[in-house]
Amino acid sequence: MHVLLTEDQELFRRTVREFAEREIAPVAAEHDENETFPSENVKKMGKLGLMGLLVPTEYGGAGAGSVEYALAMEEVSRADAAHGVIMSVQNSLVAKPIYKYGTDEQKRDYLHRLASGDMIGSFCLSEPQSGSDARRMQTTAVRDGDYYVLNGTKNWISNGGEAGLYIVFARLESEGEEARTAAFLVEYWRWGISFGAKEKKLGIRASATTQVFLKDCRVPLGHLLGGEGDGFKIAMSSLDAGRIGIAAQALGIAQAAFDAAVAYAKEREAFGQPIAEFQGIQWMLADMHVRIEQARLLTYQAALLESRGLPFAKESAMAKLSASETAMWVTTRAIQIHGGYGYSREYPVQRYFRDAKITEIYEGTSEIQRLVIARSILRGERPTAAPAEPAEVPETKTPVLELPPTPAELQRMMAPRKLHHVAVAVDSVDEALKFYRETLGLEEVTVMTMEDRGLKVVLVRAGPSEIELLEPLDPEGTVARFLDRRGPGLHHVCFEVEDVEKSMRYYEGRGATFLDPVPRPGAVGLVSFMPPSLAEGVLVELAQTSGYSVPEAPSEAAEPEEAPALVITQPILRGPGGYARPGLGSAPDVPAWGAQPSAAPPTEEEAPSATPSSSAWPILDTAIPHGPGGYTRPGLVTSAPTEGWPTATPTGPRPE
Ligand code: COS
C-alpha cells in the first residue's frame, strides 16, 4: 500500500486497474493502429463513474477528489493513454470548471450528462498562433443583443468532433476597452461551429484531435461561463488542476513501459542467462523505478494539496514536469531493454514511447511548467487568485466502483444454483402424497391453496430438491388443461437462481424467452417460466427463493381434507402421454399431438414434452364425470364414450 494513500483509495485503484486491464488494454493497440475513437469504452467508463469522477454526487458524479482522479488516470493510462486523455479533458478541463464557475442552470444542464459519459466535453484554448502564449488568443466574442457571436479557429482540440460540449475561450471585443477574455459553453449543434479533420498524430492516436472553427457562432448570454473578463483565469486555473491528471497519465505510461521491461528482461535470454541477470539492465530498471516513484510522490502531493483546498499550482506543474519527462526517459529505456522487439509495432512498448511524448507538450509544455515553477519561487505561492472560486472545497469521498462482471463471472452468477424442484401435475395431491409419504417415506413441507392461480400445491422434500405436486382447482387453469391434454406427469422443472429478474435479462441475452415479461410470485418464490418450445418440450421455471416468503397456507391446507375416495369404475390404463390413470380405456389409434384436427392448439405453457407415437398408446374411450380433484375436463364430462382424443375446452363452473 502506498504511504500517501488510504485503504479505500488502494481498493479504488485496484478496481480501476481491473477494469482497465479487462476493457481497455485488449483493444488499445487496435484503436491506436486504426486511429479510432473508443466510443464503446467511453460508455463503459461513464457507467463505471470515471467520466464524472470529479463531479459531486448531487450532479450525478462520483464525488471523488483529486487523489482518486490521479489514481484512475494512472491506471487507465497504464492500459492506454488515449483513453486517459479523453477522461482527463472530461473531468478536469470541462466538468470541473463548470462546477466551479458555472451558474446553477449550467450545472444542471451539463453536469449530469458529462458525469454519465453521455456527453463528452472539450476545452478549446490553443489556436494556430498561440499555444504557450495563451493570452494572445485571436478568437473573438462580440455581444449582439441576447447573444455572443464567436469567430476564430481553435487548434489541437482533444475530443474535437466527438464532444457534445465545447468550452471556448475568446477575447471580448468591445470598443475602447482593453481586451478581456471570456469562456463560453458551446454545444456541437450550434450553427457556426464546425470541426476539422482528425490530426495525424505520433501518439494517443485513438483520441480525437481536431481544429474547431467558429464562424459567426451565436451562443446565448446564459452560456457565458464565469464573468466577462474571467476567461484566461478560468483557463489557467483549470489547467493547474488538469496538469495533475496529465502527470498521472504520464505515470501510467511510464509504469506500463516499466512493467513490460521487467517482464521482458526476466524472460529474454542472452549469453546463456536472462538479461535481467546483467547489471547493466538491473541498473536501468532500478533508475526507471526510482524516477517513477519520485514522479508518483510529486503527483500525489499535488493531488492531496488540491483536494484539501490548499495552493497547488506550483506542485501540479512540478508533478507534470517530473512525470512527463520520466515517461519519456522510462519508455526510451524500456525500448532499449526490448532491443529490436521494442522497435516493432508488434510490441506495445513503442506505443508507450510515442504516447509519452505528448505529456511533455499539452496542458503546458515542460518549458511552461518550468516557467510556472520559477515564477512561483520568485514571486510567491501562486498568481492572483482565480475568479469566483468557491470559498469551500466540496467534500469528496473515495467512490466504491462497481465493476461489471466478466462474461465468465456473469455466467457463474447466473447459473442455476440447484434443481429446486420437479413439478408434477396430478389429479389429486392427496392421492399422490400418499405414494411419496407411504412408499418413499418423504414428507411434505408445504401444502397451500393458490386461489389466484386455481391450484392446490404440495411441496415434498426429496434430498436437496423438492417435488411439487400441482392439483388444479380451476377447470380453466393451465394445469387443468395440461392434465386434460397430457394426463398426470411432469409439468415443469424448476431451477433456483439468485436473482430471477437478472437471470431473465441474462438468458434473454442468450436467446431465451419467458412467458411473462417480469417475474411473478409463485409457490416457491419469485418465478418465471421459459416456454417448453425452448427445452425440448419441457417447461422450465426459474425461481428466486431467497428474500421471498412463501404465502401462508390457509388453515384448511394445514390439515388437508381427506381426498375424496376414488371410485374407480373403469380399468386403469394409459393415456396418450403414457400415464396411468383411472378411467382410461384402451383404443387402437391415437392421433399425435400436433395432428389432432380440431383440438385447441396447446399453449406454450401446457405444450407436451414430446410427441407421443400415435400407435404406442391406447385411447380414452370411456368418460368419467370429472377428475378426482373435482374439476371438469374435456372428455370426462359426458357419460357417453367419446370419439378419439377430446377436442373441446371445458366451460361452465367447476362441479362441487
Ligand atoms: N490561476 C489563476 N489565475 C492565473 C493563473 C493561474 N494558474 N496564472 C495566471 N493567472 C492570472 C494572473 O494572476 C494574471 O491576473 P491579473 O491580470 O489579474 O494579474 C493573469 O492571469 C495573467 O497572468 P500572467 O501575467 O502570469 O500571464 P502570462 O501571459 O504571463 O502567462 C502562462 C502565463 C505562461 C503561465 C500561461 O500563459 C500558460 O500557462 N500558458 C500555457 C498554456 C497552456 O497550457 N496551453 C496548453 C493548452 S491546453 S492543451
Side-chain angles (χ1 to χ4, degrees):
M1 187 166 134
H2 196 280
V3 67
L4 294 182
L5 301 181
T6 64
E7 242 175 72
D8 285 352
Q9 286 166 338
E10 284 290 1
L11 178 69
F12 171 84
R13 173 211 278 286
R14 275 204 299 280
T15 312
V16 181
R17 175 172 289 204
E18 201 182 320
F19 169 81
E21 285 181 347
R22 189 202 297 170
E23 304 290 345
I24 300 177
V27 297
E30 193 185 322
H31 280 297
D32 172 69
E33 189 66 26
N34 302 328
E35 303 192 40
T36 44
F37 190 82
S39 304
E40 281 306 309
N41 270 349
V42 171
K43 278 188 210 141
K44 290 180 193 167
M45 286 160 70
K47 222 166 171 191
L48 189 60
L50 300 180
M51 296 299 276
L53 268 185
L54 295 178
V55 175
T57 46
E58 61 185 298
Y59 293 107
S66 224
V67 177
E68 290 81 10
Y69 170 57
L71 294 174
M73 273 299 295
E74 183 184 335
E75 292 304 335
V76 166
S77 304
R78 180 171 165 270
D80 181 38
H83 283 70
V85 70
I86 296 166
M87 176 184 151
S88 84
V89 171
Q90 179 89 349
N91 272 285
S92 52
L93 297 189
V94 179
K96 191 153 185 182
I98 293 178
Y99 176 68
K100 251 170 112 177
Y101 305 115
T103 60
D104 285 348
E105 202 178 341
Q106 289 168 345
K107 290 180 202 178
R108 246 195 349 262
D109 282 353
Y110 300 114
L111 287 181
H112 275 97
R113 284 190 281 165
L114 290 166
S116 66
D118 289 345
M119 175 183 254
I120 296 175
S122 179
F123 180 87
C124 308
L125 178 65
S126 294
E127 298 188 358
Q129 293 80 20
S130 63
S132 292
D133 189 3
R135 241 178 348 145
R136 274 195 56 221
M137 66 184 86
Q138 299 299 307
T139 298
T140 56
V142 179
R143 183 149 172 195
D144 179 16
D146 293 340
Y147 290 87
Y148 290 100
V149 183
L150 305 183
N151 276 289
T153 300
K154 295 291 179 181
N155 248 35
W156 315 118
I157 302 306
S158 298
N159 297 343
E162 298 288 345
L165 182 68
Y166 296 78
I167 298 187
V168 175
F169 295 91
R171 286 149 43 102
L172 285 164
E173 293 273 283
S174 47
E175 277 188 30
E177 282 182 34
E178 202 186 312
R180 296 179 307 153
T181 54
F184 300 92
L185 298 168
V186 187
E187 298 102 330
Y188 76 99
W189 48 262
R190 291 224 171 255
W191 188 255
I193 186 168
S194 59
F195 312 99
K198 224 169 143 175
E199 301 290 348
K200 299 215 161 294
K201 307 190 296 286
L202 173 71
I204 53 162
R205 289 160 44 131
S207 73
T209 312
T210 67
Q211 286 191 308
V212 173
F213 306 109
L214 298 140
K215 179 99 185 61
D216 295 331
C217 179
R218 299 171 77 82
V219 292
L221 297 185
H223 284 221
L224 175 70
L225 180 65
E228 288 194 353
D230 287 345
F232 186 70
K233 294 180 185 183
I234 290 176
M236 289 301 108
S237 63
S238 302
L239 285 170
D240 286 340
R243 286 166 188 162
I244 298 174
I246 302 305
Q249 181 191 36
L251 260 184
I253 299 169
Q255 188 66 53
F258 177 73
D259 293 345
V262 171
Y264 186 82
K266 288 206 242 174
E267 198 182 88
R268 170 74 179 182
E269 291 196 359
F271 304 102
Q273 60 180 10
I275 61 171
E277 297 299 321
F278 292 106
Q279 197 179 46
I281 300 288
Q282 289 175 1
W283 285 14
M284 251 201 261
L285 291 175
D287 287 344
M288 288 156 84
H289 185 61
V290 170
R291 289 185 68 149
I292 291 172
E293 286 305 318
Q294 287 169 345
R296 182 168 282 130
L297 282 167
L298 283 175
T299 305
Y300 291 177
Q301 168 185 256
L304 278 165
L305 287 171
E306 207 227 331
S307 62
R308 290 176 193 171
L310 298 167
F312 66 96
K314 180 184 74 178
E315 286 75 11
S316 72
M318 285 162 58
K320 179 177 180 285
L321 177 65
S322 165
S324 59
E325 294 192 345
T326 293
M328 270 320 283
W329 197 88
V330 166
T331 53
T332 307
R333 269 141 201 85
I335 290 186
Q336 196 64 23
I337 289 172
H338 278 75
Y341 293 104
Y343 202 64
S344 158
R345 296 228 301 269
E346 292 296 310
Y347 280 70
V349 69
Q350 47 75 37
R351 173 162 56 85
Y352 305 144
F353 172 80
R354 288 185 287 109
D355 288 349
K357 187 61 203 170
I358 190 62
T359 64
E360 290 185 326
I361 298 172
Y362 60 14
E363 300 205 23
T365 58
S366 293
E367 292 68 33
I368 289 293
Q369 305 313 322
R370 289 187 165 89
L371 179 149
V372 170
I373 297 163
R375 281 186 182 184
S376 175
I377 295 166
L378 299 172
R379 293 187 197 166
E381 195 49 57
R382 68 175 293 173
T384 322
E389 278 202 68
E392 287 171 28
V393 179
E395 208 173 299
T396 61
K397 62 176 174 56
T398 305
V400 179
L401 302 180
E402 277 189 37
L403 262 191
T406 60
E409 282 166 350
L410 195 64
Q411 192 168 10
R412 262 199 310 282
M413 281 163 60
M414 294 301 152
R417 287 210 218 133
K418 66 167 192 179
L419 176 68
H420 186 273
H421 64 258
V422 173
V424 184
V426 294
D427 289 325
S428 157
V429 290
D430 298 319
E431 282 304 311
L433 202 48
K434 271 191 195 159
F435 164 75
Y436 291 107
R437 222 193 258 138
E438 291 168 14
T439 311
L440 293 182
L442 305 176
E443 271 310 307
E444 78 265 21
V445 281
T446 316
V447 180
M448 69 181 99
T449 307
M450 300 182 74
E451 293 292 350
D452 56 330
R453 306 221 55 217
L455 280 178
K456 186 169 177 186
V457 182
V458 173
L459 289 162
V460 181
R461 180 158 322 281
S465 305
E466 289 168 17
I467 298 161
E468 185 179 82
L469 302 172
L470 304 170
E471 176 189 322
L473 302 176
D474 173 5
E476 309 256 353
T478 55
V479 177
R481 294 210 304 274
F482 175 92
L483 279 167
D484 293 337
R485 290 175 190 280
R486 303 176 59 193
L490 175 67
H491 182 266
H492 66 263
V493 289
C494 172
F495 296 105
E496 191 174 312
V497 293
E498 193 164 313
D499 182 323
V500 72
E501 176 116 41
K502 276 193 194 156
S503 294
M504 286 174 74
R505 305 290 90 92
Y506 173 73
Y507 290 117
E508 277 168 356
R510 304 183 63 165
T513 52
F514 288 86
L515 296 176
D516 295 310
V518 288
R520 60 181 170 187
V524 296
L526 272 182
V527 302
S528 193
F529 286 90
M530 293 183 186
S533 50
L534 282 182
E536 287 290 317
V538 177
L539 186 65
V540 174
E541 178 183 22
L542 301 182
Q544 174 187 334
T545 56
S546 58
Y548 179 85
S549 53
V550 176
E552 262 197 26
S555 50
E556 74 261 20
E559 283 175 39
E561 274 173 32
E562 265 306 292
L566 207 58
V567 185
I568 301 176
T569 54
Q570 307 293 332
I572 296 177
L573 287 170
R574 284 175 182 280
Y579 57 90
R581 63 197 305 203
L584 301 185
S586 62
D589 293 318
V590 175
W593 262 98
Q596 293 175 54
S598 52
T603 65
E604 284 278 52
E605 200 168 338
E606 55 189 47
S609 59
T611 306
S613 122
S614 60
S615 57
W617 315 111
I619 195 169
L620 171 77
D621 62 0
T622 48
I624 53 173
H626 47 75
Y631 60 91
T632 312
R633 47 184 212 249
L636 306 180
V637 285
T638 58
S639 51
T642 51
E643 282 276 309
W645 191 241
T647 57
T649 304
T651 51
R654 181 183 135 216
E656 293 305 317

